[in-house]
Amino acid sequence: EDLDETKLLLPKAAWGVLRATAEVAADHFPKPLIPDILDTLEKAKGLIVDPASPEGEIAVDRTALSVKDVKAAAAGEQISAATLAARYADPGAHVAARKRVFGDPRTMYGR
């Protein structure tokens, strides 16, 4: 837990996005467990967020963060063309994200 190599090092500005996505994705769990799961995520924030990252908030297109609900996942429905287009609209974002993880010497991938 104390080694930087085992931490995700998510930028502070992205914490809200991660939390909101986790809340939507948790619909697969029984309703009474969801608050406990989100509390556990909050307790683990120190292992997820990079303390050296700047404060702020990321401007995000919320449609690109869509998560299938339980019914859609069970039905085997595919992701819509609009969602896929939003994901591929900025291919540089994926490369930048990989460089942040694999290029960061504090992570096990950057060593």
Side-chain angles (χ1 to χ4, degrees):
E1 286 183 16
D2 297 331
L3 301 173
D4 283 340
E5 292 87 0
T6 62
K7 296 178 182 177
L8 185 58
L9 298 178
L10 183 77
K12 289 177 189 174
W15 176 253
V17 174
L18 176 73
R19 176 96 169 53
T21 304
E23 191 170 348
V24 172
D27 72 339
H28 291 71
F29 297 110
K31 296 271 186 232
L33 293 179
I34 294 174
D36 293 335
I37 292 167
L38 296 175
D39 286 343
T40 302
L41 182 64
E42 284 290 336
K43 290 176 187 171
K45 184 177 179 179
L47 300 172
I48 297 170
V49 174
D50 181 2
S53 65
E55 295 287 342
E57 205 167 299
I58 295 177
V60 177
D61 176 10
R62 297 286 177 182
T63 59
L65 297 175
S66 63
V67 176
K68 290 183 184 180
D69 64 11
V70 174
K71 291 178 184 174
E77 295 177 15
Q78 299 297 314
I79 297 173
S80 72
T83 301
L84 285 174
R87 288 184 182 175
Y88 291 112
D90 186 10
H94 176 70
V95 173
R98 287 183 58 86
K99 284 184 178 178
R100 280 194 305 272
V101 173
F102 293 109
D104 191 334
R106 296 173 295 169
T107 67
M108 67 179 148
Y109 304 109
R111 291 183 186 226

